Amino acid sequence: MAQDSGGPRATAKWFDRAQPTFRCVIDPTHQISSLFGWVSVPSAAWIDENGRIVRSNEGVYPAPMTIGFGLGKVRLGDDAFALATRDWIERGAESDHVWSHSELAERLKPVDEDTLLAEATFKLALHFEAVGDSDRAWRHFTAAQQLAPDNWNYLRQGWTHKGMTYASLKVLARTNYLRKNTDTSYYDPMGLPGENHHRYIEPEWLWTPAVRRLKQLLRR
Amino acid sequence: MIILANGKTTEVSRRSDAADALWVRMDELPGATGWQMKPEGACLGELCVPLPANKREEWIADADDWVWFCYSEFADMIGQQYVHDGDVWSLGSVPAVRSVGLESAIAPDFEVTERNGNTLRLSDLRGHKVVLFTWSSW
């Protein structure tokens, strides 16, 4: 499910490259994240044959991967969610990874008034973006971001209104700020075995043998 | 006038004497907001909210040869957040719908467009396991 205000225009090349064998939908107004309470991508839910949610997570990368290039190349993700998903598909309710009702209630907490107002404001911004009223779109994107400052969907989709380069720099600046000043995590842990949970996405160059050796020397 | 709700954009009539309140023509209410009037009150799917007896005359009014419903007053009562810019009104999620979802764990239904242009409702997939997975180009 492509969650993207750019709609088919912005998502076509990714769909074409993936050659998916499953159903592909486009959600330009982020309505599904609003309904499931997700604040970032990639996110996922398992819904059983009776329509019940039995797991809902954010940061659900299908495999360890790197994105970007040069010094901007970053590593992220693991295959914990993909393995758990296969297990659930095969074993259904017998899977160890299915959440109980109380676990689900704990994760899907009720939201406050600011969060609900942010959602309405964000949708207003998306509308003005879609009709080409950039000034009003930006004003409402900014208002939504202020009302729900931890919602990465609002931050990143909103910043993209000013271009991908602007958005990328803003993501970098914000993650650096959070890393230094707060204990806020980009993604909550999924609670799955083998999960390689990093609080933040790390630049790939930090993991080269030369840099690792240098860090060891500096620590001494 | 435009109403943004439930992932849809709906153009609706504007009450000529409406001030800073959202009045929706009764026949346009279900299409624009999902709510419809029934004897038991305003209903959204299986959720029904009785209208306070002392507000009925205030919230349901005749104007411009139509019957209108003061949606913004109703939204205030049920705790639904909204925001508007000129004639564009955006409605947030209905808190009671979220609460029902939390209690039942039933996935909220939604309607989206598939890449091939077909419309897909989540409820159409009952009887199958569904892995709902979001991604974006940004």
Side-chain angles (χ1 to χ4, degrees):
Chain A
M1 197 271 302
Q3 175 181 276
D4 211 307
S5 69
R9 175 182 46 79
T11 56
K13 71 175 179 181
W14 305 102
F15 278 130
D16 290 343
R17 196 178 298 173
Q19 293 288 306
T21 55
F22 39 83
R23 299 180 87 153
C24 299
V25 301
I26 302 172
D27 179 16
T29 64
H30 293 222
Q31 64 159 323
I32 295 170
S33 277
S34 297
L35 290 168
F36 285 80
W38 293 327
V39 298
S40 193
V41 288
S43 297
W46 298 344
I47 300 164
D48 72 11
E49 293 88 340
N50 299 313
R52 295 172 70 89
I53 304 169
V54 293
R55 178 173 271 277
S56 169
N57 280 126
E58 296 176 291
V60 291
Y61 290 93
M65 60 181 69
T66 56
I67 57 172
F69 57 89
L71 290 179
K73 191 172 180 179
V74 296
R75 52 191 274 163
L76 67 166
D78 54 54
D79 58 4
F81 188 82
L83 293 172
T85 300
R86 287 195 189 98
D87 184 65
W88 173 65
I89 290 168
E90 287 170 10
R91 300 173 60 211
E94 300 300 313
S95 169
D96 294 338
H97 312 304
V98 167
W99 281 350
S100 67
H101 198 141
S102 58
E103 283 174 299
L104 185 69
E106 175 61 25
R107 297 277 185 145
L108 304 178
K109 290 173 183 160
V111 294
D112 59 22
E113 279 187 13
D114 274 357
T115 303
L116 293 169
L117 183 58
E119 177 199 335
T121 307
F122 181 71
K123 305 295 162 70
L124 195 59
L126 291 175
H127 169 77
F128 285 120
E129 182 179 64
V131 299
D133 190 336
S134 183
D135 288 346
R136 288 208 279 185
W138 185 247
R139 190 164 74 239
H140 293 299
F141 275 135
T142 304
Q145 291 167 349
Q146 288 169 349
L147 285 163
D150 295 330
N151 189 313
W152 281 99
N153 287 333
Y154 297 170
L155 291 169
R156 297 186 63 185
Q157 181 75 80
W159 291 334
T160 305
H161 184 72
K162 291 213 169 186
M164 288 301 283
T165 304
Y166 177 85
S168 300
L169 291 172
K170 291 292 281 185
V171 170
L172 196 60
R174 181 168 167 82
T175 44
N176 280 338
Y177 171 82
L178 292 175
R179 195 194 327 248
K180 286 176 188 164
N181 298 291
T182 77
D183 59 358
T184 304
S185 178
Y186 194 103
Y187 297 118
D188 285 334
M190 294 183 286
L192 289 170
E195 181 180 353
N196 182 19
H197 180 66
H198 293 295
R199 286 184 56 228
Y200 296 101
I201 294 165
E202 296 285 0
E204 174 77 353
W205 59 267
L206 282 176
W207 298 87
T208 58
V211 173
R212 287 209 320 256
R213 177 71 182 143
L214 186 60
K215 284 163 79 177
Q216 285 168 359
L217 288 171
L218 287 172
R219 273 192 214 111
R220 289 177 192 170
Chain B
M1 198 164 72
I2 288 170
I3 293 178
L4 313 173
N6 310 319
K8 288 196 306 183
T9 301
T10 311
E11 195 155 354
V12 295
S13 309
R14 186 180 192 284
R15 183 174 159 174
S16 58
D17 59 350
D20 207 31
L22 175 59
W23 284 89
V24 183
R25 224 170 66 182
M26 206 61 100
D27 63 320
E28 295 175 333
L29 186 68
T33 68
W35 292 90
Q36 53 184 319
M37 287 301 162
K38 293 185 177 178
E40 54 268 45
C43 297
L44 180 68
E46 293 179 6
L47 173 72
C48 285
V49 180
L51 299 185
N54 62 344
K55 295 288 183 187
R56 279 182 165 270
E57 282 189 21
E58 198 178 316
W59 292 0
I60 299 175
D62 291 330
D64 305 333
D65 297 327
W66 286 94
V67 180
W68 299 77
F69 180 57
C70 189
Y71 192 86
S72 48
E73 293 278 346
F74 173 70
D76 288 341
M77 183 184 83
I78 62 173
Q80 183 181 22
Q81 300 295 311
Y82 55 87
V83 61
H84 76 106
D85 188 335
D87 265 358
V88 185
W89 290 74
S90 177
L91 313 181
S93 298
V94 177
V97 171
R98 280 179 172 259
S99 303
V100 169
L102 287 176
E103 286 163 16
S104 67
I106 296 293
D109 201 15
F110 56 81
E111 186 178 290
V112 280
T113 304
E114 289 193 77
R115 196 185 173 209
N116 60 15
N118 293 338
T119 299
L120 176 71
R121 290 194 72 85
L122 179 63
S123 52
D124 294 339
L125 301 175
R126 281 284 173 98
H128 300 275
K129 288 192 183 83
V130 176
V131 177
L132 187 63
F133 184 93
T134 68
W135 64 276
S136 76
S137 70
W138 36 264

mmCIF file with all atom_site columns, all heavy atoms in Angstrom, chain A residues 124-125 128-129 131-143 161-162, chain B residues 85:
data_model
loop_
_atom_site.group_PDB
_atom_site.id
_atom_site.type_symbol
_atom_site.label_atom_id
_atom_site.label_alt_id
_atom_site.label_comp_id
_atom_site.label_asym_id
_atom_site.label_entity_id
_atom_site.label_seq_id
_atom_site.pdbx_PDB_ins_code
_atom_site.Cartn_x
_atom_site.Cartn_y
_atom_site.Cartn_z
_atom_site.occupancy
_atom_site.B_iso_or_equiv
_atom_site.pdbx_formal_charge
_atom_site.auth_seq_id
_atom_site.auth_comp_id
_atom_site.auth_asym_id
_atom_site.auth_atom_id
_atom_site.pdbx_PDB_model_num
ATOM 1   N N   . LEU A 1 124 ? -6.071  18.547 5.333  1.00 0.00 ? 124 LEU A N   1
ATOM 2   C CA  . LEU A 1 124 ? -6.329  19.833 4.679  1.00 0.00 ? 124 LEU A CA  1
ATOM 3   C C   . LEU A 1 124 ? -5.109  20.246 3.836  1.00 0.00 ? 124 LEU A C   1
ATOM 4   O O   . LEU A 1 124 ? -5.240  20.706 2.703  1.00 0.00 ? 124 LEU A O   1
ATOM 5   C CB  . LEU A 1 124 ? -6.634  20.886 5.748  1.00 0.00 ? 124 LEU A CB  1
ATOM 6   C CG  . LEU A 1 124 ? -7.263  22.200 5.307  1.00 0.00 ? 124 LEU A CG  1
ATOM 7   C CD1 . LEU A 1 124 ? -8.594  21.991 4.602  1.00 0.00 ? 124 LEU A CD1 1
ATOM 8   C CD2 . LEU A 1 124 ? -7.451  23.130 6.508  1.00 0.00 ? 124 LEU A CD2 1
ATOM 9   N N   . ALA A 1 125 ? -3.933  20.041 4.407  1.00 0.00 ? 125 ALA A N   1
ATOM 10  C CA  . ALA A 1 125 ? -2.702  20.356 3.673  1.00 0.00 ? 125 ALA A CA  1
ATOM 11  C C   . ALA A 1 125 ? -2.607  19.514 2.394  1.00 0.00 ? 125 ALA A C   1
ATOM 12  O O   . ALA A 1 125 ? -2.271  20.021 1.318  1.00 0.00 ? 125 ALA A O   1
ATOM 13  C CB  . ALA A 1 125 ? -1.490  20.107 4.566  1.00 0.00 ? 125 ALA A CB  1
ATOM 14  N N   . PHE A 1 128 ? -4.848  20.932 -0.315 1.00 0.00 ? 128 PHE A N   1
ATOM 15  C CA  . PHE A 1 128 ? -4.336  22.125 -0.991 1.00 0.00 ? 128 PHE A CA  1
ATOM 16  C C   . PHE A 1 128 ? -3.118  21.794 -1.864 1.00 0.00 ? 128 PHE A C   1
ATOM 17  O O   . PHE A 1 128 ? -2.917  22.403 -2.913 1.00 0.00 ? 128 PHE A O   1
ATOM 18  C CB  . PHE A 1 128 ? -4.014  23.221 0.030  1.00 0.00 ? 128 PHE A CB  1
ATOM 19  C CG  . PHE A 1 128 ? -5.252  23.889 0.570  1.00 0.00 ? 128 PHE A CG  1
ATOM 20  C CD1 . PHE A 1 128 ? -5.545  23.866 1.922  1.00 0.00 ? 128 PHE A CD1 1
ATOM 21  C CD2 . PHE A 1 128 ? -6.147  24.513 -0.288 1.00 0.00 ? 128 PHE A CD2 1
ATOM 22  C CE1 . PHE A 1 128 ? -6.702  24.460 2.413  1.00 0.00 ? 128 PHE A CE1 1
ATOM 23  C CE2 . PHE A 1 128 ? -7.312  25.111 0.193  1.00 0.00 ? 128 PHE A CE2 1
ATOM 24  C CZ  . PHE A 1 128 ? -7.594  25.077 1.543  1.00 0.00 ? 128 PHE A CZ  1
ATOM 25  N N   . GLU A 1 129 ? -2.329  20.821 -1.429 1.00 0.00 ? 129 GLU A N   1
ATOM 26  C CA  . GLU A 1 129 ? -1.217  20.381 -2.282 1.00 0.00 ? 129 GLU A CA  1
ATOM 27  C C   . GLU A 1 129 ? -1.760  19.797 -3.587 1.00 0.00 ? 129 GLU A C   1
ATOM 28  O O   . GLU A 1 129 ? -1.256  20.082 -4.676 1.00 0.00 ? 129 GLU A O   1
ATOM 29  C CB  . GLU A 1 129 ? -0.376  19.334 -1.541 1.00 0.00 ? 129 GLU A CB  1
ATOM 30  C CG  . GLU A 1 129 ? 0.829   18.873 -2.359 1.00 0.00 ? 129 GLU A CG  1
ATOM 31  C CD  . GLU A 1 129 ? 1.662   17.851 -1.600 1.00 0.00 ? 129 GLU A CD  1
ATOM 32  O OE1 . GLU A 1 129 ? 1.144   16.743 -1.311 1.00 0.00 ? 129 GLU A OE1 1
ATOM 33  O OE2 . GLU A 1 129 ? 2.826   18.142 -1.313 1.00 0.00 ? 129 GLU A OE2 1
ATOM 34  N N   . VAL A 1 131 ? -4.505  20.439 -5.124 1.00 0.00 ? 131 VAL A N   1
ATOM 35  C CA  . VAL A 1 131 ? -5.119  21.408 -6.041 1.00 0.00 ? 131 VAL A CA  1
ATOM 36  C C   . VAL A 1 131 ? -4.139  22.512 -6.433 1.00 0.00 ? 131 VAL A C   1
ATOM 37  O O   . VAL A 1 131 ? -4.512  23.471 -7.116 1.00 0.00 ? 131 VAL A O   1
ATOM 38  C CB  . VAL A 1 131 ? -6.411  22.026 -5.443 1.00 0.00 ? 131 VAL A CB  1
ATOM 39  C CG1 . VAL A 1 131 ? -7.450  20.948 -5.193 1.00 0.00 ? 131 VAL A CG1 1
ATOM 40  C CG2 . VAL A 1 131 ? -6.126  22.836 -4.180 1.00 0.00 ? 131 VAL A CG2 1
ATOM 41  N N   . GLY A 1 132 ? -2.881  22.378 -5.970 1.00 0.00 ? 132 GLY A N   1
ATOM 42  C CA  . GLY A 1 132 ? -1.839  23.312 -6.417 1.00 0.00 ? 132 GLY A CA  1
ATOM 43  C C   . GLY A 1 132 ? -1.756  24.613 -5.642 1.00 0.00 ? 132 GLY A C   1
ATOM 44  O O   . GLY A 1 132 ? -1.118  25.565 -6.095 1.00 0.00 ? 132 GLY A O   1
ATOM 45  N N   . ASP A 1 133 ? -2.385  24.664 -4.472 1.00 0.00 ? 133 ASP A N   1
ATOM 46  C CA  . ASP A 1 133 ? -2.288  25.874 -3.646 1.00 0.00 ? 133 ASP A CA  1
ATOM 47  C C   . ASP A 1 133 ? -1.142  25.670 -2.637 1.00 0.00 ? 133 ASP A C   1
ATOM 48  O O   . ASP A 1 133 ? -1.355  25.276 -1.491 1.00 0.00 ? 133 ASP A O   1
ATOM 49  C CB  . ASP A 1 133 ? -3.622  26.121 -2.930 1.00 0.00 ? 133 ASP A CB  1
ATOM 50  C CG  . ASP A 1 133 ? -3.667  27.490 -2.255 1.00 0.00 ? 133 ASP A CG  1
ATOM 51  O OD1 . ASP A 1 133 ? -2.585  28.033 -1.945 1.00 0.00 ? 133 ASP A OD1 1
ATOM 52  O OD2 . ASP A 1 133 ? -4.774  27.999 -2.024 1.00 0.00 ? 133 ASP A OD2 1
ATOM 53  N N   . SER A 1 134 ? 0.058   25.944 -3.097 1.00 0.00 ? 134 SER A N   1
ATOM 54  C CA  . SER A 1 134 ? 1.250   25.598 -2.335 1.00 0.00 ? 134 SER A CA  1
ATOM 55  C C   . SER A 1 134 ? 1.350   26.352 -1.003 1.00 0.00 ? 134 SER A C   1
ATOM 56  O O   . SER A 1 134 ? 1.743   25.779 0.020  1.00 0.00 ? 134 SER A O   1
ATOM 57  C CB  . SER A 1 134 ? 2.486   25.876 -3.195 1.00 0.00 ? 134 SER A CB  1
ATOM 58  O OG  . SER A 1 134 ? 3.642   25.497 -2.512 1.00 0.00 ? 134 SER A OG  1
ATOM 59  N N   . ASP A 1 135 ? 1.005   27.628 -1.016 1.00 0.00 ? 135 ASP A N   1
ATOM 60  C CA  . ASP A 1 135 ? 1.140   28.424 0.213  1.00 0.00 ? 135 ASP A CA  1
ATOM 61  C C   . ASP A 1 135 ? 0.260   27.873 1.334  1.00 0.00 ? 135 ASP A C   1
ATOM 62  O O   . ASP A 1 135 ? 0.699   27.707 2.470  1.00 0.00 ? 135 ASP A O   1
ATOM 63  C CB  . ASP A 1 135 ? 0.763   29.890 -0.049 1.00 0.00 ? 135 ASP A CB  1
ATOM 64  C CG  . ASP A 1 135 ? 1.821   30.590 -0.890 1.00 0.00 ? 135 ASP A CG  1
ATOM 65  O OD1 . ASP A 1 135 ? 2.932   30.023 -1.021 1.00 0.00 ? 135 ASP A OD1 1
ATOM 66  O OD2 . ASP A 1 135 ? 1.543   31.677 -1.419 1.00 0.00 ? 135 ASP A OD2 1
ATOM 67  N N   . ARG A 1 136 ? -0.991  27.604 0.969  1.00 0.00 ? 136 ARG A N   1
ATOM 68  C CA  . ARG A 1 136 ? -1.891  27.090 2.004  1.00 0.00 ? 136 ARG A CA  1
ATOM 69  C C   . ARG A 1 136 ? -1.504  25.666 2.402  1.00 0.00 ? 136 ARG A C   1
ATOM 70  O O   . ARG A 1 136 ? -1.616  25.292 3.572  1.00 0.00 ? 136 ARG A O   1
ATOM 71  C CB  . ARG A 1 136 ? -3.346  27.164 1.529  1.00 0.00 ? 136 ARG A CB  1
ATOM 72  C CG  . ARG A 1 136 ? -3.854  28.605 1.506  1.00 0.00 ? 136 ARG A CG  1
ATOM 73  C CD  . ARG A 1 136 ? -5.341  28.685 1.717  1.00 0.00 ? 136 ARG A CD  1
ATOM 74  N NE  . ARG A 1 136 ? -6.062  28.412 0.476  1.00 0.00 ? 136 ARG A NE  1
ATOM 75  C CZ  . ARG A 1 136 ? -7.389  28.512 0.367  1.00 0.00 ? 136 ARG A CZ  1
ATOM 76  N NH1 . ARG A 1 136 ? -8.132  28.847 1.406  1.00 0.00 ? 136 ARG A NH1 1
ATOM 77  N NH2 . ARG A 1 136 ? -7.987  28.263 -0.781 1.00 0.00 ? 136 ARG A NH2 1
ATOM 78  N N   . ALA A 1 137 ? -1.035  24.878 1.451  1.00 0.00 ? 137 ALA A N   1
ATOM 79  C CA  . ALA A 1 137 ? -0.592  23.514 1.771  1.00 0.00 ? 137 ALA A CA  1
ATOM 80  C C   . ALA A 1 137 ? 0.540   23.567 2.795  1.00 0.00 ? 137 ALA A C   1
ATOM 81  O O   . ALA A 1 137 ? 0.514   22.882 3.825  1.00 0.00 ? 137 ALA A O   1
ATOM 82  C CB  . ALA A 1 137 ? -0.128  22.798 0.509  1.00 0.00 ? 137 ALA A CB  1
ATOM 83  N N   . TRP A 1 138 ? 1.504   24.414 2.529  1.00 0.00 ? 138 TRP A N   1
ATOM 84  C CA  . TRP A 1 138 ? 2.661   24.495 3.428  1.00 0.00 ? 138 TRP A CA  1
ATOM 85  C C   . TRP A 1 138 ? 2.261   24.975 4.824  1.00 0.00 ? 138 TRP A C   1
ATOM 86  O O   . TRP A 1 138 ? 2.739   24.473 5.835  1.00 0.00 ? 138 TRP A O   1
ATOM 87  C CB  . TRP A 1 138 ? 3.735   25.410 2.821  1.00 0.00 ? 138 TRP A CB  1
ATOM 88  C CG  . TRP A 1 138 ? 4.988   25.444 3.643  1.00 0.00 ? 138 TRP A CG  1
ATOM 89  C CD1 . TRP A 1 138 ? 5.481   26.506 4.336  1.00 0.00 ? 138 TRP A CD1 1
ATOM 90  C CD2 . TRP A 1 138 ? 5.876   24.353 3.881  1.00 0.00 ? 138 TRP A CD2 1
ATOM 91  N NE1 . TRP A 1 138 ? 6.634   26.141 4.980  1.00 0.00 ? 138 TRP A NE1 1
ATOM 92  C CE2 . TRP A 1 138 ? 6.904   24.839 4.716  1.00 0.00 ? 138 TRP A CE2 1
ATOM 93  C CE3 . TRP A 1 138 ? 5.919   23.026 3.464  1.00 0.00 ? 138 TRP A CE3 1
ATOM 94  C CZ2 . TRP A 1 138 ? 7.954   24.030 5.159  1.00 0.00 ? 138 TRP A CZ2 1
ATOM 95  C CZ3 . TRP A 1 138 ? 6.957   22.213 3.894  1.00 0.00 ? 138 TRP A CZ3 1
ATOM 96  C CH2 . TRP A 1 138 ? 7.959   22.719 4.736  1.00 0.00 ? 138 TRP A CH2 1
ATOM 97  N N   . ARG A 1 139 ? 1.355   25.954 4.852  1.00 0.00 ? 139 ARG A N   1
ATOM 98  C CA  . ARG A 1 139 ? 0.900   26.473 6.139  1.00 0.00 ? 139 ARG A CA  1
ATOM 99  C C   . ARG A 1 139 ? 0.240   25.371 6.972  1.00 0.00 ? 139 ARG A C   1
ATOM 100 O O   . ARG A 1 139 ? 0.524   25.215 8.157  1.00 0.00 ? 139 ARG A O   1
ATOM 101 C CB  . ARG A 1 139 ? -0.092  27.627 5.904  1.00 0.00 ? 139 ARG A CB  1
ATOM 102 C CG  . ARG A 1 139 ? -0.432  28.387 7.165  1.00 0.00 ? 139 ARG A CG  1
ATOM 103 C CD  . ARG A 1 139 ? -1.087  29.726 6.858  1.00 0.00 ? 139 ARG A CD  1
ATOM 104 N NE  . ARG A 1 139 ? -2.459  29.580 6.404  1.00 0.00 ? 139 ARG A NE  1
ATOM 105 C CZ  . ARG A 1 139 ? -2.915  30.010 5.236  1.00 0.00 ? 139 ARG A CZ  1
ATOM 106 N NH1 . ARG A 1 139 ? -2.098  30.608 4.401  1.00 0.00 ? 139 ARG A NH1 1
ATOM 107 N NH2 . ARG A 1 139 ? -4.182  29.850 4.906  1.00 0.00 ? 139 ARG A NH2 1
ATOM 108 N N   . HIS A 1 140 ? -0.569  24.557 6.330  1.00 0.00 ? 140 HIS A N   1
ATOM 109 C CA  . HIS A 1 140 ? -1.265  23.501 7.085  1.00 0.00 ? 140 HIS A CA  1
ATOM 110 C C   . HIS A 1 140 ? -0.345  22.317 7.382  1.00 0.00 ? 140 HIS A C   1
ATOM 111 O O   . HIS A 1 140 ? -0.482  21.676 8.425  1.00 0.00 ? 140 HIS A O   1
ATOM 112 C CB  . HIS A 1 140 ? -2.531  23.074 6.350  1.00 0.00 ? 140 HIS A CB  1
ATOM 113 C CG  . HIS A 1 140 ? -3.578  24.162 6.309  1.00 0.00 ? 140 HIS A CG  1
ATOM 114 N ND1 . HIS A 1 140 ? -4.148  24.696 7.444  1.00 0.00 ? 140 HIS A ND1 1
ATOM 115 C CD2 . HIS A 1 140 ? -4.116  24.843 5.269  1.00 0.00 ? 140 HIS A CD2 1
ATOM 116 C CE1 . HIS A 1 140 ? -5.000  25.645 7.111  1.00 0.00 ? 140 HIS A CE1 1
ATOM 117 N NE2 . HIS A 1 140 ? -4.995  25.760 5.788  1.00 0.00 ? 140 HIS A NE2 1
ATOM 118 N N   . PHE A 1 141 ? 0.584   22.019 6.481  1.00 0.00 ? 141 PHE A N   1
ATOM 119 C CA  . PHE A 1 141 ? 1.576   20.974 6.803  1.00 0.00 ? 141 PHE A CA  1
ATOM 120 C C   . PHE A 1 141 ? 2.332   21.365 8.075  1.00 0.00 ? 141 PHE A C   1
ATOM 121 O O   . PHE A 1 141 ? 2.527   20.562 8.981  1.00 0.00 ? 141 PHE A O   1
ATOM 122 C CB  . PHE A 1 141 ? 2.587   20.803 5.657  1.00 0.00 ? 141 PHE A CB  1
ATOM 123 C CG  . PHE A 1 141 ? 2.149   19.873 4.557  1.00 0.00 ? 141 PHE A CG  1
ATOM 124 C CD1 . PHE A 1 141 ? 2.317   20.223 3.216  1.00 0.00 ? 141 PHE A CD1 1
ATOM 125 C CD2 . PHE A 1 141 ? 1.586   18.635 4.853  1.00 0.00 ? 141 PHE A CD2 1
ATOM 126 C CE1 . PHE A 1 141 ? 1.923   19.365 2.198  1.00 0.00 ? 141 PHE A CE1 1
ATOM 127 C CE2 . PHE A 1 141 ? 1.197   17.773 3.829  1.00 0.00 ? 141 PHE A CE2 1
ATOM 128 C CZ  . PHE A 1 141 ? 1.367   18.141 2.506  1.00 0.00 ? 141 PHE A CZ  1
ATOM 129 N N   . THR A 1 142 ? 2.755   22.625 8.117  1.00 0.00 ? 142 THR A N   1
ATOM 130 C CA  . THR A 1 142 ? 3.517   23.106 9.278  1.00 0.00 ? 142 THR A CA  1
ATOM 131 C C   . THR A 1 142 ? 2.679   23.033 10.552 1.00 0.00 ? 142 THR A C   1
ATOM 132 O O   . THR A 1 142 ? 3.164   22.611 11.613 1.00 0.00 ? 142 THR A O   1
ATOM 133 C CB  . THR A 1 142 ? 3.977   24.558 9.028  1.00 0.00 ? 142 THR A CB  1
ATOM 134 O OG1 . THR A 1 142 ? 4.733   24.587 7.810  1.00 0.00 ? 142 THR A OG1 1
ATOM 135 C CG2 . THR A 1 142 ? 4.859   25.059 10.149 1.00 0.00 ? 142 THR A CG2 1
ATOM 136 N N   . ALA A 1 143 ? 1.408   23.410 10.449 1.00 0.00 ? 143 ALA A N   1
ATOM 137 C CA  . ALA A 1 143 ? 0.530   23.369 11.629 1.00 0.00 ? 143 ALA A CA  1
ATOM 138 C C   . ALA A 1 143 ? 0.350   21.927 12.115 1.00 0.00 ? 143 ALA A C   1
ATOM 139 O O   . ALA A 1 143 ? 0.397   21.660 13.323 1.00 0.00 ? 143 ALA A O   1
ATOM 140 C CB  . ALA A 1 143 ? -0.820  23.987 11.282 1.00 0.00 ? 143 ALA A CB  1
ATOM 141 N N   . HIS A 1 161 ? 6.920   18.385 0.248  1.00 0.00 ? 161 HIS A N   1
ATOM 142 C CA  . HIS A 1 161 ? 6.256   19.451 -0.510 1.00 0.00 ? 161 HIS A CA  1
ATOM 143 C C   . HIS A 1 161 ? 7.291   20.446 -1.037 1.00 0.00 ? 161 HIS A C   1
ATOM 144 O O   . HIS A 1 161 ? 7.069   21.098 -2.060 1.00 0.00 ? 161 HIS A O   1
ATOM 145 C CB  . HIS A 1 161 ? 5.238   20.160 0.386  1.00 0.00 ? 161 HIS A CB  1
ATOM 146 C CG  . HIS A 1 161 ? 4.435   21.198 -0.334 1.00 0.00 ? 161 HIS A CG  1
ATOM 147 N ND1 . HIS A 1 161 ? 3.459   20.878 -1.255 1.00 0.00 ? 161 HIS A ND1 1
ATOM 148 C CD2 . HIS A 1 161 ? 4.481   22.563 -0.300 1.00 0.00 ? 161 HIS A CD2 1
ATOM 149 C CE1 . HIS A 1 161 ? 2.940   21.984 -1.739 1.00 0.00 ? 161 HIS A CE1 1
ATOM 150 N NE2 . HIS A 1 161 ? 3.540   23.019 -1.183 1.00 0.00 ? 161 HIS A NE2 1
ATOM 151 N N   . LYS A 1 162 ? 8.417   20.588 -0.327 1.00 0.00 ? 162 LYS A N   1
ATOM 152 C CA  . LYS A 1 162 ? 9.471   21.519 -0.778 1.00 0.00 ? 162 LYS A CA  1
ATOM 153 C C   . LYS A 1 162 ? 10.577  20.800 -1.539 1.00 0.00 ? 162 LYS A C   1
ATOM 154 O O   . LYS A 1 162 ? 11.653  21.370 -1.731 1.00 0.00 ? 162 LYS A O   1
ATOM 155 C CB  . LYS A 1 162 ? 10.061  22.261 0.427  1.00 0.00 ? 162 LYS A CB  1
ATOM 156 C CG  . LYS A 1 162 ? 9.074   23.237 1.049  1.00 0.00 ? 162 LYS A CG  1
ATOM 157 C CD  . LYS A 1 162 ? 9.768   24.445 1.622  1.00 0.00 ? 162 LYS A CD  1
ATOM 158 C CE  . LYS A 1 162 ? 8.764   25.517 1.977  1.00 0.00 ? 162 LYS A CE  1
ATOM 159 N NZ  . LYS A 1 162 ? 9.397   26.759 2.399  1.00 0.00 ? 162 LYS A NZ  1
ATOM 160 N N   . ASP B 2 85  ? -10.377 25.972 6.105  1.00 0.00 ? 85  ASP B N   1
ATOM 161 C CA  . ASP B 2 85  ? -9.689  27.105 5.501  1.00 0.00 ? 85  ASP B CA  1
ATOM 162 C C   . ASP B 2 85  ? -10.599 27.560 4.378  1.00 0.00 ? 85  ASP B C   1
ATOM 163 O O   . ASP B 2 85  ? -10.723 26.873 3.357  1.00 0.00 ? 85  ASP B O   1
ATOM 164 C CB  . ASP B 2 85  ? -8.316  26.672 4.972  1.00 0.00 ? 85  ASP B CB  1
ATOM 165 C CG  . ASP B 2 85  ? -7.488  27.861 4.498  1.00 0.00 ? 85  ASP B CG  1
ATOM 166 O OD1 . ASP B 2 85  ? -8.090  28.903 4.139  1.00 0.00 ? 85  ASP B OD1 1
ATOM 167 O OD2 . ASP B 2 85  ? -6.253  27.738 4.482  1.00 0.00 ? 85  ASP B OD2 1
#
